Amino acid sequence: QVQLVESGGGLVQAGGSLRLSCAASRSIFSINTMRWYRQAPGKERELVADITSGGGTYYADSVKGRFTISRDNGKNTVYLQMNSLKPEDTAVYYCKFETTWYDYWGQGTQVTVSS
């Protein structure tokens, strides 16, 4: 059973940075898009950023210019570099790997930004 293991979350002051990582526990064949979502208390889960197998990226308007998504296909890993963090970025962050046949989700990592 493949698992996605997330790391890098934590508590940071506003204006600070964090780098999230999400790695598959074993090799996954043909990952198409890798995505990061987040869910704040009392809110719906929202797409933050994604990156296709060809390197194309998407960012939510709320994080454009502050967050950068990248991937290492050899390591089956996706990263989210988060700079200039704001209190409104506080949420549980989830990664998702999409293949032709199945979608994999991480367990979530908490990011808390204090003002």
Side-chain angles (χ1 to χ4, degrees):
Q1 188 81 1
V2 175
Q3 293 183 331
L4 300 188
V5 180
E6 298 160 353
S7 59
L11 173 64
V12 65
Q13 288 188 332
S17 298
L18 287 173
R19 187 190 193 212
L20 305 183
S21 300
C22 172
S25 58
R26 62 176 178 84
S27 182
I28 300 174
F29 178 72
S30 190
I31 300 172
N32 297 321
T33 303
M34 295 177 170
R35 306 185 195 268
W36 284 100
Y37 290 80
R38 68 185 180 187
Q39 187 166 19
K43 295 188 177 181
E44 293 187 353
R45 190 171 297 189
E46 64 172 349
L47 177 63
V48 175
D50 64 37
I51 183 166
T52 68
S53 56
T57 58
Y58 161 84
Y59 296 96
D61 287 344
S62 58
V63 306
K64 277 182 184 175
R66 300 187 298 121
F67 290 11
T68 303
I69 189 170
S70 60
R71 63 190 281 172
D72 185 331
N73 293 323
K75 295 181 178 180
N76 281 184
T77 300
V78 66
Y79 305 96
L80 187 67
Q81 178 66 44
M82 306 186 294
N83 299 328
S84 302
L85 282 161
K86 303 175 181 180
E88 51 262 45
D89 294 318
T90 295
V92 178
Y93 284 70
Y94 300 89
C95 60
K96 180 185 180 186
F97 289 5
E98 298 177 356
T99 73
T100 302
W101 306 275
Y102 195 75
D103 293 344
Y104 300 88
W105 284 91
Q107 81 287 353
T109 186
Q110 176 70 45
V111 170
T112 303
V113 184
S114 63
S115 57

mmCIF file of all heavy atoms in Angstrom, residues 4 22 24 28-37 47-59 69-73 76-79 94-106:
data_model
loop_
_atom_site.group_PDB
_atom_site.id
_atom_site.type_symbol
_atom_site.label_atom_id
_atom_site.label_comp_id
_atom_site.label_asym_id
_atom_site.label_seq_id
_atom_site.Cartn_x
_atom_site.Cartn_y
_atom_site.Cartn_z
ATOM 1 N N LEU A 4 1.525 8.513 1.190
ATOM 2 C CA LEU A 4 2.189 9.801 0.986
ATOM 3 C C LEU A 4 2.511 10.362 2.356
ATOM 4 O O LEU A 4 1.615 10.492 3.203
ATOM 5 C CB LEU A 4 1.302 10.761 0.204
ATOM 6 C CG LEU A 4 0.867 10.321 -1.182
ATOM 7 C CD1 LEU A 4 0.148 11.470 -1.901
ATOM 8 C CD2 LEU A 4 2.024 9.824 -2.009
ATOM 9 N N CYS A 22 6.289 16.214 0.381
ATOM 10 C CA CYS A 22 5.368 15.078 0.344
ATOM 11 C C CYS A 22 6.019 14.011 -0.505
ATOM 12 O O CYS A 22 6.238 14.213 -1.712
ATOM 13 C CB CYS A 22 4.037 15.505 -0.240
ATOM 14 S SG CYS A 22 2.884 14.144 -0.541
ATOM 15 N N ALA A 24 6.245 9.775 -1.617
ATOM 16 C CA ALA A 24 5.583 8.474 -1.660
ATOM 17 C C ALA A 24 6.447 7.434 -0.962
ATOM 18 O O ALA A 24 7.680 7.463 -1.068
ATOM 19 C CB ALA A 24 5.325 8.058 -3.096
ATOM 20 N N ILE A 28 5.759 5.170 -7.514
ATOM 21 C CA ILE A 28 4.443 5.156 -8.143
ATOM 22 C C ILE A 28 4.635 5.363 -9.634
ATOM 23 O O ILE A 28 5.307 6.308 -10.052
ATOM 24 C CB ILE A 28 3.549 6.279 -7.585
ATOM 25 C CG1 ILE A 28 3.347 6.120 -6.079
ATOM 26 C CG2 ILE A 28 2.192 6.296 -8.295
ATOM 27 C CD1 ILE A 28 2.592 7.269 -5.438
ATOM 28 N N PHE A 29 4.039 4.480 -10.409
ATOM 29 C CA PHE A 29 4.195 4.562 -11.859
ATOM 30 C C PHE A 29 3.285 5.644 -12.428
ATOM 31 O O PHE A 29 2.111 5.730 -12.108
ATOM 32 C CB PHE A 29 3.849 3.212 -12.498
ATOM 33 C CG PHE A 29 3.938 3.222 -13.996
ATOM 34 C CD1 PHE A 29 5.167 3.273 -14.629
ATOM 35 C CD2 PHE A 29 2.784 3.200 -14.783
ATOM 36 C CE1 PHE A 29 5.260 3.282 -16.009
ATOM 37 C CE2 PHE A 29 2.866 3.213 -16.164
ATOM 38 C CZ PHE A 29 4.111 3.262 -16.782
ATOM 39 N N SER A 30 3.870 6.493 -13.268
ATOM 40 C CA SER A 30 3.107 7.440 -14.073
ATOM 41 C C SER A 30 2.242 8.393 -13.247
ATOM 42 O O SER A 30 1.016 8.407 -13.389
ATOM 43 C CB SER A 30 2.236 6.686 -15.081
ATOM 44 O OG SER A 30 1.662 7.569 -16.002
ATOM 45 N N ILE A 31 2.899 9.182 -12.414
ATOM 46 C CA ILE A 31 2.167 10.236 -11.702
ATOM 47 C C ILE A 31 1.936 11.385 -12.674
ATOM 48 O O ILE A 31 2.869 11.874 -13.303
ATOM 49 C CB ILE A 31 2.961 10.742 -10.489
ATOM 50 C CG1 ILE A 31 3.220 9.607 -9.504
ATOM 51 C CG2 ILE A 31 2.177 11.862 -9.788
ATOM 52 C CD1 ILE A 31 4.158 9.997 -8.375
ATOM 53 N N ASN A 32 0.714 11.798 -12.797
ATOM 54 C CA ASN A 32 0.404 12.927 -13.667
ATOM 55 C C ASN A 32 0.563 14.237 -12.901
ATOM 56 O O ASN A 32 1.636 14.803 -12.847
ATOM 57 C CB ASN A 32 -0.996 12.775 -14.250
ATOM 58 C CG ASN A 32 -1.107 11.534 -15.128
ATOM 59 O OD1 ASN A 32 -0.182 11.200 -15.864
ATOM 60 N ND2 ASN A 32 -2.217 10.840 -15.041
ATOM 61 N N THR A 33 -0.474 14.652 -12.238
ATOM 62 C CA THR A 33 -0.432 15.929 -11.526
ATOM 63 C C THR A 33 -0.219 15.706 -10.033
ATOM 64 O O THR A 33 -0.797 14.788 -9.456
ATOM 65 C CB THR A 33 -1.733 16.705 -11.757
ATOM 66 O OG1 THR A 33 -1.918 16.892 -13.171
ATOM 67 C CG2 THR A 33 -1.694 18.052 -11.071
ATOM 68 N N MET A 34 0.598 16.553 -9.457
ATOM 69 C CA MET A 34 0.788 16.578 -8.005
ATOM 70 C C MET A 34 0.177 17.887 -7.501
ATOM 71 O O MET A 34 0.422 18.948 -8.092
ATOM 72 C CB MET A 34 2.277 16.527 -7.656
ATOM 73 C CG MET A 34 2.956 15.245 -8.049
ATOM 74 S SD MET A 34 4.741 15.333 -7.659
ATOM 75 C CE MET A 34 5.248 13.646 -7.929
ATOM 76 N N ARG A 35 -0.579 17.797 -6.439
ATOM 77 C CA ARG A 35 -1.306 18.979 -5.946
ATOM 78 C C ARG A 35 -1.104 19.171 -4.447
ATOM 79 O O ARG A 35 -0.894 18.201 -3.723
ATOM 80 C CB ARG A 35 -2.809 18.848 -6.208
ATOM 81 C CG ARG A 35 -3.198 18.571 -7.652
ATOM 82 C CD ARG A 35 -4.699 18.590 -7.815
ATOM 83 N NE ARG A 35 -5.140 18.003 -9.073
ATOM 84 C CZ ARG A 35 -5.343 18.671 -10.186
ATOM 85 N NH1 ARG A 35 -5.134 19.984 -10.212
ATOM 86 N NH2 ARG A 35 -5.756 18.052 -11.278
ATOM 87 N N TRP A 36 -1.221 20.418 -4.029
ATOM 88 C CA TRP A 36 -1.312 20.769 -2.611
ATOM 89 C C TRP A 36 -2.669 21.433 -2.376
ATOM 90 O O TRP A 36 -3.057 22.357 -3.096
ATOM 91 C CB TRP A 36 -0.202 21.734 -2.206
ATOM 92 C CG TRP A 36 1.137 21.112 -2.045
ATOM 93 C CD1 TRP A 36 2.165 21.135 -2.946
ATOM 94 C CD2 TRP A 36 1.612 20.383 -0.914
ATOM 95 N NE1 TRP A 36 3.243 20.448 -2.445
ATOM 96 C CE2 TRP A 36 2.934 19.984 -1.195
ATOM 97 C CE3 TRP A 36 1.057 20.031 0.320
ATOM 98 C CZ2 TRP A 36 3.713 19.246 -0.294
ATOM 99 C CZ3 TRP A 36 1.822 19.295 1.215
ATOM 100 C CH2 TRP A 36 3.125 18.916 0.908
ATOM 101 N N TYR A 37 -3.360 20.939 -1.351
ATOM 102 C CA TYR A 37 -4.611 21.527 -0.894
ATOM 103 C C TYR A 37 -4.402 22.014 0.541
ATOM 104 O O TYR A 37 -3.439 21.619 1.213
ATOM 105 C CB TYR A 37 -5.742 20.493 -0.879
ATOM 106 C CG TYR A 37 -6.221 20.044 -2.226
ATOM 107 C CD1 TYR A 37 -5.518 19.087 -2.957
ATOM 108 C CD2 TYR A 37 -7.398 20.539 -2.779
ATOM 109 C CE1 TYR A 37 -5.973 18.651 -4.195
ATOM 110 C CE2 TYR A 37 -7.866 20.098 -4.013
ATOM 111 C CZ TYR A 37 -7.143 19.156 -4.708
ATOM 112 O OH TYR A 37 -7.597 18.724 -5.928
ATOM 113 N N LEU A 47 -7.801 24.095 -3.300
ATOM 114 C CA LEU A 47 -6.575 23.836 -4.037
ATOM 115 C C LEU A 47 -5.644 25.035 -3.903
ATOM 116 O O LEU A 47 -6.050 26.172 -4.170
ATOM 117 C CB LEU A 47 -6.895 23.577 -5.508
ATOM 118 C CG LEU A 47 -5.703 23.348 -6.433
ATOM 119 C CD1 LEU A 47 -4.929 22.095 -6.043
ATOM 120 C CD2 LEU A 47 -6.179 23.246 -7.886
ATOM 121 N N VAL A 48 -4.420 24.770 -3.504
ATOM 122 C CA VAL A 48 -3.429 25.827 -3.329
ATOM 123 C C VAL A 48 -2.541 25.948 -4.562
ATOM 124 O O VAL A 48 -2.315 27.041 -5.074
ATOM 125 C CB VAL A 48 -2.564 25.546 -2.091
ATOM 126 C CG1 VAL A 48 -1.446 26.584 -1.966
ATOM 127 C CG2 VAL A 48 -3.408 25.527 -0.825
ATOM 128 N N ALA A 49 -2.021 24.811 -5.016
ATOM 129 C CA ALA A 49 -1.106 24.807 -6.158
ATOM 130 C C ALA A 49 -1.023 23.406 -6.723
ATOM 131 O O ALA A 49 -1.268 22.430 -6.012
ATOM 132 C CB ALA A 49 0.295 25.278 -5.741
ATOM 133 N N ASP A 50 -0.685 23.319 -8.005
ATOM 134 C CA ASP A 50 -0.404 22.015 -8.571
ATOM 135 C C ASP A 50 0.651 22.114 -9.665
ATOM 136 O O ASP A 50 0.980 23.205 -10.146
ATOM 137 C CB ASP A 50 -1.666 21.289 -9.070
ATOM 138 C CG ASP A 50 -2.369 21.988 -10.214
ATOM 139 O OD1 ASP A 50 -1.691 22.562 -11.084
ATOM 140 O OD2 ASP A 50 -3.620 21.942 -10.240
ATOM 141 N N ILE A 51 1.191 20.946 -10.017
ATOM 142 C CA ILE A 51 2.237 20.883 -11.026
ATOM 143 C C ILE A 51 2.032 19.613 -11.839
ATOM 144 O O ILE A 51 1.844 18.527 -11.288
ATOM 145 C CB ILE A 51 3.645 20.942 -10.379
ATOM 146 C CG1 ILE A 51 4.734 20.944 -11.458
ATOM 147 C CG2 ILE A 51 3.855 19.829 -9.358
ATOM 148 C CD1 ILE A 51 6.109 21.336 -10.909
ATOM 149 N N THR A 52 2.026 19.764 -13.145
ATOM 150 C CA THR A 52 1.809 18.623 -14.032
ATOM 151 C C THR A 52 3.111 17.874 -14.276
ATOM 152 O O THR A 52 4.196 18.333 -13.899
ATOM 153 C CB THR A 52 1.247 19.095 -15.371
ATOM 154 O OG1 THR A 52 2.272 19.839 -16.063
ATOM 155 C CG2 THR A 52 0.020 19.959 -15.180
ATOM 156 N N SER A 53 2.997 16.748 -14.942
ATOM 157 C CA SER A 53 4.187 15.960 -15.266
ATOM 158 C C SER A 53 5.107 16.720 -16.210
ATOM 159 O O SER A 53 6.313 16.494 -16.233
ATOM 160 C CB SER A 53 3.788 14.626 -15.887
ATOM 161 O OG SER A 53 2.982 14.829 -17.031
ATOM 162 N N GLY A 54 4.542 17.650 -16.967
ATOM 163 C CA GLY A 54 5.358 18.458 -17.870
ATOM 164 C C GLY A 54 5.926 19.706 -17.240
ATOM 165 O O GLY A 54 6.635 20.470 -17.893
ATOM 166 N N GLY A 55 5.600 19.930 -15.978
ATOM 167 C CA GLY A 55 6.150 21.081 -15.268
ATOM 168 C C GLY A 55 5.257 22.310 -15.242
ATOM 169 O O GLY A 55 5.626 23.332 -14.664
ATOM 170 N N GLY A 56 4.077 22.212 -15.855
ATOM 171 C CA GLY A 56 3.152 23.334 -15.797
ATOM 172 C C GLY A 56 2.608 23.499 -14.389
ATOM 173 O O GLY A 56 2.373 22.515 -13.688
ATOM 174 N N THR A 57 2.419 24.737 -13.971
ATOM 175 C CA THR A 57 1.996 25.002 -12.605
ATOM 176 C C THR A 57 0.732 25.856 -12.556
ATOM 177 O O THR A 57 0.429 26.605 -13.490
ATOM 178 C CB THR A 57 3.093 25.714 -11.794
ATOM 179 O OG1 THR A 57 3.444 26.939 -12.459
ATOM 180 C CG2 THR A 57 4.325 24.849 -11.655
ATOM 181 N N TYR A 58 0.038 25.712 -11.439
ATOM 182 C CA TYR A 58 -1.135 26.534 -11.145
ATOM 183 C C TYR A 58 -1.014 26.981 -9.697
ATOM 184 O O TYR A 58 -0.576 26.216 -8.840
ATOM 185 C CB TYR A 58 -2.426 25.727 -11.319
ATOM 186 C CG TYR A 58 -3.603 26.353 -10.595
ATOM 187 C CD1 TYR A 58 -4.350 27.363 -11.182
ATOM 188 C CD2 TYR A 58 -3.917 25.974 -9.290
ATOM 189 C CE1 TYR A 58 -5.395 27.964 -10.502
ATOM 190 C CE2 TYR A 58 -4.960 26.566 -8.606
ATOM 191 C CZ TYR A 58 -5.689 27.558 -9.212
ATOM 192 O OH TYR A 58 -6.721 28.161 -8.533
ATOM 193 N N TYR A 59 -1.420 28.235 -9.439
ATOM 194 C CA TYR A 59 -1.459 28.751 -8.076
ATOM 195 C C TYR A 59 -2.785 29.452 -7.827
ATOM 196 O O TYR A 59 -3.296 30.168 -8.697
ATOM 197 C CB TYR A 59 -0.335 29.765 -7.838
ATOM 198 C CG TYR A 59 1.052 29.176 -7.939
ATOM 199 C CD1 TYR A 59 1.782 29.245 -9.117
ATOM 200 C CD2 TYR A 59 1.629 28.529 -6.845
ATOM 201 C CE1 TYR A 59 3.047 28.695 -9.217
ATOM 202 C CE2 TYR A 59 2.903 27.974 -6.931
ATOM 203 C CZ TYR A 59 3.597 28.052 -8.127
ATOM 204 O OH TYR A 59 4.850 27.496 -8.212
ATOM 205 N N ILE A 69 5.652 25.732 -6.075
ATOM 206 C CA ILE A 69 5.548 24.278 -6.074
ATOM 207 C C ILE A 69 6.615 23.709 -7.010
ATOM 208 O O ILE A 69 6.923 24.302 -8.059
ATOM 209 C CB ILE A 69 4.137 23.820 -6.511
ATOM 210 C CG1 ILE A 69 3.954 22.320 -6.289
ATOM 211 C CG2 ILE A 69 3.840 24.210 -7.958
ATOM 212 C CD1 ILE A 69 2.499 21.840 -6.472
ATOM 213 N N SER A 70 7.180 22.569 -6.618
ATOM 214 C CA SER A 70 8.164 21.889 -7.464
ATOM 215 C C SER A 70 8.063 20.391 -7.214
ATOM 216 O O SER A 70 7.454 19.962 -6.233
ATOM 217 C CB SER A 70 9.585 22.391 -7.176
ATOM 218 O OG SER A 70 9.931 22.155 -5.826
ATOM 219 N N ARG A 71 8.643 19.618 -8.103
ATOM 220 C CA ARG A 71 8.567 18.163 -7.957
ATOM 221 C C ARG A 71 9.885 17.527 -8.357
ATOM 222 O O ARG A 71 10.607 18.058 -9.206
ATOM 223 C CB ARG A 71 7.409 17.581 -8.784
ATOM 224 C CG ARG A 71 7.529 17.785 -10.272
ATOM 225 C CD ARG A 71 6.210 17.404 -10.980
ATOM 226 N NE ARG A 71 6.045 15.974 -11.145
ATOM 227 C CZ ARG A 71 4.914 15.393 -11.582
ATOM 228 N NH1 ARG A 71 3.859 16.151 -11.858
ATOM 229 N NH2 ARG A 71 4.843 14.079 -11.726
ATOM 230 N N ASP A 72 10.151 16.378 -7.758
ATOM 231 C CA ASP A 72 11.307 15.550 -8.089
ATOM 232 C C ASP A 72 10.747 14.194 -8.477
ATOM 233 O O ASP A 72 10.395 13.389 -7.614
ATOM 234 C CB ASP A 72 12.255 15.446 -6.897
ATOM 235 C CG ASP A 72 13.522 14.693 -7.234
ATOM 236 O OD1 ASP A 72 13.500 13.809 -8.123
ATOM 237 O OD2 ASP A 72 14.553 14.958 -6.589
ATOM 238 N N ASN A 73 10.652 13.945 -9.778
ATOM 239 C CA ASN A 73 10.028 12.709 -10.235
ATOM 240 C C ASN A 73 10.835 11.476 -9.827
ATOM 241 O O ASN A 73 10.258 10.427 -9.530
ATOM 242 C CB ASN A 73 9.859 12.741 -11.748
ATOM 243 C CG ASN A 73 8.848 13.788 -12.184
ATOM 244 O OD1 ASN A 73 7.841 14.016 -11.519
ATOM 245 N ND2 ASN A 73 9.127 14.451 -13.298
ATOM 246 N N ASN A 76 9.740 10.741 -6.429
ATOM 247 C CA ASN A 76 8.280 10.744 -6.195
ATOM 248 C C ASN A 76 7.917 11.713 -5.076
ATOM 249 O O ASN A 76 7.192 11.367 -4.130
ATOM 250 C CB ASN A 76 7.772 9.338 -5.844
ATOM 251 C CG ASN A 76 7.613 8.437 -7.051
ATOM 252 O OD1 ASN A 76 7.153 7.312 -6.968
ATOM 253 N ND2 ASN A 76 7.999 8.931 -8.211
ATOM 254 N N THR A 77 8.425 12.924 -5.178
ATOM 255 C CA THR A 77 8.255 13.920 -4.129
ATOM 256 C C THR A 77 7.798 15.247 -4.723
ATOM 257 O O THR A 77 8.257 15.639 -5.807
ATOM 258 C CB THR A 77 9.571 14.120 -3.365
ATOM 259 O OG1 THR A 77 9.966 12.885 -2.775
ATOM 260 C CG2 THR A 77 9.422 15.156 -2.265
ATOM 261 N N VAL A 78 6.924 15.912 -3.999
ATOM 262 C CA VAL A 78 6.503 17.262 -4.360
ATOM 263 C C VAL A 78 6.797 18.182 -3.184
ATOM 264 O O VAL A 78 6.739 17.756 -2.025
ATOM 265 C CB VAL A 78 5.010 17.309 -4.744
ATOM 266 C CG1 VAL A 78 4.109 16.991 -3.564
ATOM 267 C CG2 VAL A 78 4.636 18.653 -5.363
ATOM 268 N N TYR A 79 7.150 19.422 -3.506
ATOM 269 C CA TYR A 79 7.504 20.403 -2.494
ATOM 270 C C TYR A 79 6.601 21.630 -2.621
ATOM 271 O O TYR A 79 6.092 21.931 -3.713
ATOM 272 C CB TYR A 79 8.957 20.850 -2.659
ATOM 273 C CG TYR A 79 9.952 19.727 -2.663
ATOM 274 C CD1 TYR A 79 10.421 19.184 -3.863
ATOM 275 C CD2 TYR A 79 10.434 19.187 -1.474
ATOM 276 C CE1 TYR A 79 11.331 18.143 -3.881
ATOM 277 C CE2 TYR A 79 11.357 18.139 -1.487
ATOM 278 C CZ TYR A 79 11.785 17.628 -2.691
ATOM 279 O OH TYR A 79 12.692 16.587 -2.696
ATOM 280 N N TYR A 94 -2.563 19.346 2.624
ATOM 281 C CA TYR A 94 -2.609 17.981 2.124
ATOM 282 C C TYR A 94 -2.003 17.913 0.726
ATOM 283 O O TYR A 94 -2.254 18.784 -0.103
ATOM 284 C CB TYR A 94 -4.050 17.479 2.015
ATOM 285 C CG TYR A 94 -4.817 17.450 3.297
ATOM 286 C CD1 TYR A 94 -5.537 18.562 3.722
ATOM 287 C CD2 TYR A 94 -4.843 16.298 4.088
ATOM 288 C CE1 TYR A 94 -6.256 18.537 4.906
ATOM 289 C CE2 TYR A 94 -5.565 16.269 5.273
ATOM 290 C CZ TYR A 94 -6.264 17.391 5.668
ATOM 291 O OH TYR A 94 -6.984 17.360 6.836
ATOM 292 N N CYS A 95 -1.263 16.840 0.463
ATOM 293 C CA CYS A 95 -0.781 16.619 -0.890
ATOM 294 C C CYS A 95 -1.614 15.529 -1.549
ATOM 295 O O CYS A 95 -2.242 14.706 -0.872
ATOM 296 C CB CYS A 95 0.690 16.233 -0.902
ATOM 297 S SG CYS A 95 1.088 14.734 0.003
ATOM 298 N N LYS A 96 -1.610 15.552 -2.847
ATOM 299 C CA LYS A 96 -2.359 14.573 -3.636
ATOM 300 C C LYS A 96 -1.576 14.254 -4.894
ATOM 301 O O LYS A 96 -1.104 15.162 -5.582
ATOM 302 C CB LYS A 96 -3.729 15.141 -4.012
ATOM 303 C CG LYS A 96 -4.609 14.220 -4.825
ATOM 304 C CD LYS A 96 -5.879 14.967 -5.236
ATOM 305 C CE LYS A 96 -6.801 14.117 -6.050
ATOM 306 N NZ LYS A 96 -7.967 14.881 -6.561
ATOM 307 N N PHE A 97 -1.417 12.968 -5.187
ATOM 308 C CA PHE A 97 -0.788 12.508 -6.417
ATOM 309 C C PHE A 97 -1.866 11.851 -7.272
ATOM 310 O O PHE A 97 -2.603 10.984 -6.792
ATOM 311 C CB PHE A 97 0.301 11.466 -6.142
ATOM 312 C CG PHE A 97 1.547 11.997 -5.499
ATOM 313 C CD1 PHE A 97 1.663 13.317 -5.095
ATOM 314 C CD2 PHE A 97 2.635 11.153 -5.303
ATOM 315 C CE1 PHE A 97 2.813 13.795 -4.505
ATOM 316 C CE2 PHE A 97 3.795 11.620 -4.709
ATOM 317 C CZ PHE A 97 3.882 12.937 -4.308
ATOM 318 N N GLU A 98 -1.949 12.254 -8.523
ATOM 319 C CA GLU A 98 -2.953 11.711 -9.432
ATOM 320 C C GLU A 98 -2.270 10.865 -10.514
ATOM 321 O O GLU A 98 -1.372 11.351 -11.199
ATOM 322 C CB GLU A 98 -3.758 12.836 -10.073
ATOM 323 C CG GLU A 98 -4.537 13.660 -9.059
ATOM 324 C CD GLU A 98 -5.274 14.817 -9.667
ATOM 325 O OE1 GLU A 98 -5.137 15.047 -10.879
ATOM 326 O OE2 GLU A 98 -5.992 15.515 -8.919
ATOM 327 N N THR A 99 -2.733 9.628 -10.643
ATOM 328 C CA THR A 99 -2.278 8.786 -11.741
ATOM 329 C C THR A 99 -3.467 8.492 -12.643
ATOM 330 O O THR A 99 -4.583 8.907 -12.363
ATOM 331 C CB THR A 99 -1.670 7.476 -11.234
ATOM 332 O OG1 THR A 99 -2.731 6.630 -10.750
ATOM 333 C CG2 THR A 99 -0.666 7.720 -10.119
ATOM 334 N N THR A 100 -3.217 7.768 -13.691
ATOM 335 C CA THR A 100 -4.294 7.419 -14.615
ATOM 336 C C THR A 100 -5.358 6.572 -13.929
ATOM 337 O O THR A 100 -6.541 6.634 -14.270
ATOM 338 C CB THR A 100 -3.727 6.654 -15.819
ATOM 339 O OG1 THR A 100 -2.738 7.466 -16.461
ATOM 340 C CG2 THR A 100 -4.820 6.312 -16.828
ATOM 341 N N TRP A 101 -4.930 5.774 -12.929
ATOM 342 C CA TRP A 101 -5.838 4.793 -12.349
ATOM 343 C C TRP A 101 -6.279 5.127 -10.927
ATOM 344 O O TRP A 101 -7.283 4.592 -10.459
ATOM 345 C CB TRP A 101 -5.156 3.417 -12.318
ATOM 346 C CG TRP A 101 -4.655 3.019 -13.653
ATOM 347 C CD1 TRP A 101 -5.358 2.406 -14.642
ATOM 348 C CD2 TRP A 101 -3.333 3.223 -14.170
ATOM 349 N NE1 TRP A 101 -4.553 2.208 -15.734
ATOM 350 C CE2 TRP A 101 -3.311 2.708 -15.476
ATOM 351 C CE3 TRP A 101 -2.168 3.787 -13.646
ATOM 352 C CZ2 TRP A 101 -2.165 2.745 -16.269
ATOM 353 C CZ3 TRP A 101 -1.037 3.826 -14.439
ATOM 354 C CH2 TRP A 101 -1.048 3.318 -15.735
ATOM 355 N N TYR A 102 -5.520 5.960 -10.229
ATOM 356 C CA TYR A 102 -5.802 6.133 -8.807
ATOM 357 C C TYR A 102 -5.257 7.465 -8.320
ATOM 358 O O TYR A 102 -4.281 7.985 -8.860
ATOM 359 C CB TYR A 102 -5.142 4.978 -8.021
ATOM 360 C CG TYR A 102 -5.629 4.833 -6.607
ATOM 361 C CD1 TYR A 102 -6.871 4.279 -6.332
ATOM 362 C CD2 TYR A 102 -4.835 5.243 -5.547
ATOM 363 C CE1 TYR A 102 -7.316 4.152 -5.036
ATOM 364 C CE2 TYR A 102 -5.265 5.112 -4.240
ATOM 365 C CZ TYR A 102 -6.511 4.562 -3.992
ATOM 366 O OH TYR A 102 -6.953 4.427 -2.706
ATOM 367 N N ASP A 103 -5.899 7.992 -7.285
ATOM 368 C CA ASP A 103 -5.423 9.200 -6.620
ATOM 369 C C ASP A 103 -4.951 8.841 -5.213
ATOM 370 O O ASP A 103 -5.610 8.063 -4.507
ATOM 371 C CB ASP A 103 -6.540 10.233 -6.501
ATOM 372 C CG ASP A 103 -6.979 10.770 -7.850
ATOM 373 O OD1 ASP A 103 -6.238 10.593 -8.832
ATOM 374 O OD2 ASP A 103 -8.076 11.366 -7.907
ATOM 375 N N TYR A 104 -3.832 9.400 -4.815
ATOM 376 C CA TYR A 104 -3.272 9.170 -3.483
ATOM 377 C C TYR A 104 -3.293 10.481 -2.698
ATOM 378 O O TYR A 104 -2.956 11.538 -3.247
ATOM 379 C CB TYR A 104 -1.822 8.681 -3.584
ATOM 380 C CG TYR A 104 -1.645 7.400 -4.340
ATOM 381 C CD1 TYR A 104 -1.463 7.399 -5.719
ATOM 382 C CD2 TYR A 104 -1.662 6.169 -3.691
ATOM 383 C CE1 TYR A 104 -1.305 6.223 -6.432
ATOM 384 C CE2 TYR A 104 -1.491 4.982 -4.382
ATOM 385 C CZ TYR A 104 -1.324 5.019 -5.758
ATOM 386 O OH TYR A 104 -1.169 3.846 -6.452
ATOM 387 N N TRP A 105 -3.629 10.382 -1.408
ATOM 388 C CA TRP A 105 -3.661 11.551 -0.533
ATOM 389 C C TRP A 105 -2.698 11.380 0.627
ATOM 390 O O TRP A 105 -2.546 10.269 1.161
ATOM 391 C CB TRP A 105 -5.068 11.739 0.044
ATOM 392 C CG TRP A 105 -6.065 12.317 -0.896
ATOM 393 C CD1 TRP A 105 -6.905 11.630 -1.736
ATOM 394 C CD2 TRP A 105 -6.360 13.702 -1.093
ATOM 395 N NE1 TRP A 105 -7.696 12.509 -2.443
ATOM 396 C CE2 TRP A 105 -7.391 13.793 -2.060
ATOM 397 C CE3 TRP A 105 -5.867 14.888 -0.545
ATOM 398 C CZ2 TRP A 105 -7.920 15.008 -2.485
ATOM 399 C CZ3 TRP A 105 -6.396 16.096 -0.970
ATOM 400 C CH2 TRP A 105 -7.414 16.150 -1.927
ATOM 401 N N GLY A 106 -2.112 12.488 1.038
ATOM 402 C CA GLY A 106 -1.327 12.500 2.255
ATOM 403 C C GLY A 106 -2.232 12.664 3.467
ATOM 404 O O GLY A 106 -3.429 12.942 3.340
#
